[in-house]
Amino acid sequence: MDHGTVNPAMRLEDQGIEGLARVYYNLSEAELHDAAVANGEGRTGKGGTFLVSTGKHTGRSPKDKFVVRTPDVEDTIWWDNNPPMEPAKFDQLHADMLAHLNGGTAYVSDLYGGADPAHRLDVRVITELAWHGLFIRHLLRRPEASELAGFTPEFTVLNCPSFKADPARHGCRSDTVIALNFSKKLILIGGTEYAGENKKSVFTLLNYLLPEKGIMPMHCSANHATGNPVDTAVFFGLSGTGKTTLSADPSRTLIGDDEHGWSDRGVFNFEGGCYAKTIGLDPAAEPEIYATCEMPHTVIENMVFDPDTLELDFEDDSLTANMRCAYPLPYIPNASETGLGGHPKNIIMLTCDAFGVLPPISRLTPAQAMYHFLSGFTSKVAGTERGVTEPEPTFSTCFGAPFMPRRPEIYGNLLRSKIASHGATCWLVNTGWTGGAYGTGTRMPIKATRALLSAALDGSLEDSNFRKDPNFGFDVPVAVAGVDDTLLDPRKTWEDGAAYDAQAEKLVQMFSENFAKYVPYIDDDVKAAAIG
């Protein structure tokens, strides 16, 4: 049985998917929500939200992600970062997954990846769970009904959580698998209910395809000054560094919270929604995001709630610290209607420094910006990936290594070229620890971070006096209105200055050892900028 709007020439049978008992095409958010409740996948919460638990997988499984090794991508994939899968193993995985689905139900969503019509990717997402269909309708961009009649997907994502992969039979690592086949334009996801795998697989596709068009794909949030798209800012950073929180500024227009492209005409959002962490969400500090947790069809993922009152507990991380809400972008009052912005005037690189060494904000030269972009230093925060229970210092190149199919210097050189062509001031912002390392110090006050960002974005920070950081060589403001001067000099926030020096020396050494692998591929000025 079919239901919904679809290009009659692109039903599943035309893609070799047969034997399903029920297929639902392009259901609305309300229809998907109702189907998910009827299927027992979750329940309706306050305000008409959808409450769901994802079981044992409460975060991404990056070690279970593979790229199929075909001749057309052999020389362009960064194989050290993207474990290969043999084509025959993929074909067996595909056949077995289709056999597993025989007689079952599928929810088909035809969507766009990218707000710019000139560069968007037409994607079909086929899900076994109705709520995964609801999630991806929030997170990707939704065509108008009139556009669906002629919609032809360029890539297809097939997600079957109840399917368990066999490492020996399918060439994977465990019973969970995410396999990308660029030749067949097909992604297979199995053995995990974590919805984030759906959108991140599409992000990985765009990360591979867009550089060939001279477009910089970015793991970043973005906003612009109200009424002035020319004054655009992008915020690079891994999960937990503050991309969503800091870009959802009520005084600016939100372009998007996670994934963007930078083309010759400016910045464009890949997504149509937001996927925000909710642990410790404060209605005073983050009222826009907090309000979405009681809006119709917002997906509330892995949050503890009172079974009678349905009140959410924003502090209880017994299921995971990676609790999240997924909602359409228009739920944020100041969100952009177009998902488009100008060329970035400011580039913010967010890092969560668990060592307590980095200043709360630093100004970077273009060469330093490329160095820190390639380094991608941060701390993985609890729950974002399986097995992470407390902050772990890490280097994730381009602030998104798990989603980078090409070598890092491809993206680094693209960023540098864009900065040179259009001009931008670059900043490194530490949202991690101050006054000591994790376990001793405290998390950087969000009020101070917001004040520093405001000064950077309105241009007033450029007029400050700066000192040269002795460890990394970047410029650090000495005084900023509304911010304690002591906070700007991390050494002064530690009780023991010698202990800070030892910690800083350790971090500098970690940077140097990590960056050694990029030295053969970069210019001398970036090498010189490595350590001040």
Side-chain angles (χ1 to χ4, degrees), residues 33-212:
H33 185 149
D34 290 346
V37 172
N39 295 342
E41 297 171 15
R43 62 180 294 185
T44 299
K46 290 187 68 175
T49 60
F50 180 75
L51 308 173
V52 67
S53 170
T54 62
K56 72 173 183 177
H57 290 272
T58 57
R60 290 181 291 101
S61 299
K63 294 181 181 179
D64 292 309
K65 186 176 180 180
F66 299 85
V67 174
V68 180
R69 196 162 204 155
T70 53
D72 53 328
V73 299
E74 174 67 38
D75 298 330
T76 53
I77 296 293
W78 180 24
W79 294 111
D80 291 344
N81 187 59
N82 296 272
M85 176 180 283
E86 293 306 312
K89 295 291 188 181
F90 179 88
D91 290 344
Q92 188 65 64
L93 175 66
H94 189 203
D96 289 349
M97 191 174 286
L98 292 180
H100 178 83
L101 284 169
N102 191 55
T105 300
Y107 299 89
V108 180
S109 298
D110 292 326
L111 301 162
Y112 296 138
D116 188 337
H119 304 301
R120 71 190 179 199
L121 184 70
D122 296 355
V123 181
R124 167 165 285 183
V125 183
I126 306 167
T127 61
E128 186 182 25
L129 297 172
W131 83 265
H132 274 195
L134 175 62
F135 172 91
I136 204 64
R137 276 190 64 81
H138 288 337
L139 269 298
L140 292 185
R141 301 190 71 86
R142 298 159 292 281
E144 298 294 332
S146 60
E147 296 175 300
L148 290 172
F151 188 96
T152 301
E154 299 171 63
F155 278 82
T156 297
V157 179
L158 176 59
N159 190 329
C160 183
S162 68
F163 177 82
K164 304 299 181 185
D166 179 342
R169 183 176 174 86
H170 301 130
C172 50
R173 189 186 71 98
S174 71
D175 63 6
T176 298
V177 65
I178 302 99
L180 289 76
N181 191 322
F182 287 98
S183 179
K184 293 195 170 182
K185 299 188 175 182
L186 178 63
I187 298 173
L188 303 177
I189 303 174
T192 173
E193 291 186 33
Y194 183 66
E197 299 288 11
N198 293 288
K199 76 160 200 152
K200 289 302 185 184
S201 66
V202 176
F203 185 29
T204 303
L205 286 179
L206 290 164
N207 270 351
Y208 182 78
L209 298 171
L210 292 180
E212 291 184 343

Side-chain angles (χ1 to χ4, degrees), residues 293-314:
C293 294
E294 290 190 9
M295 290 186 178
H297 315 309
T298 291
V299 175
I300 306 292
E301 195 178 70
N302 296 317
M303 286 192 71
V304 174
F305 59 89
D306 186 293
D308 297 320
T309 67
L310 302 177
E311 290 287 342
L312 299 172
D313 190 330
F314 291 87

Side-chain angles (χ1 to χ4, degrees), residues 78 219 236-239 241 348-354 358 364 367-380 385 392-402 404 408 412 415 428-429 472 507 510-512 514-515 517-518 530:
W78 180 24
H219 186 207
F236 286 101
L238 288 176
S239 178
T241 56
I348 315 296
M349 297 184 184
L350 300 169
T351 181
C352 175
D353 174 21
L358 294 177
L364 307 176
Q368 288 171 336
M370 184 172 177
Y371 172 75
H372 284 277
F373 180 72
L374 289 175
S375 297
F377 171 70
T378 191
S379 301
K380 292 179 183 177
E385 294 181 9
E392 295 179 1
T394 188
F395 292 88
S396 185
T397 189
C398 309
F399 295 101
M404 300 298 167
L415 178 65
L428 183 68
V429 172
F472 290 92
L507 184 58
M510 288 178 65
F511 264 88
S512 297
N514 170 74
F515 201 74
K517 57 182 173 285
Y518 304 123

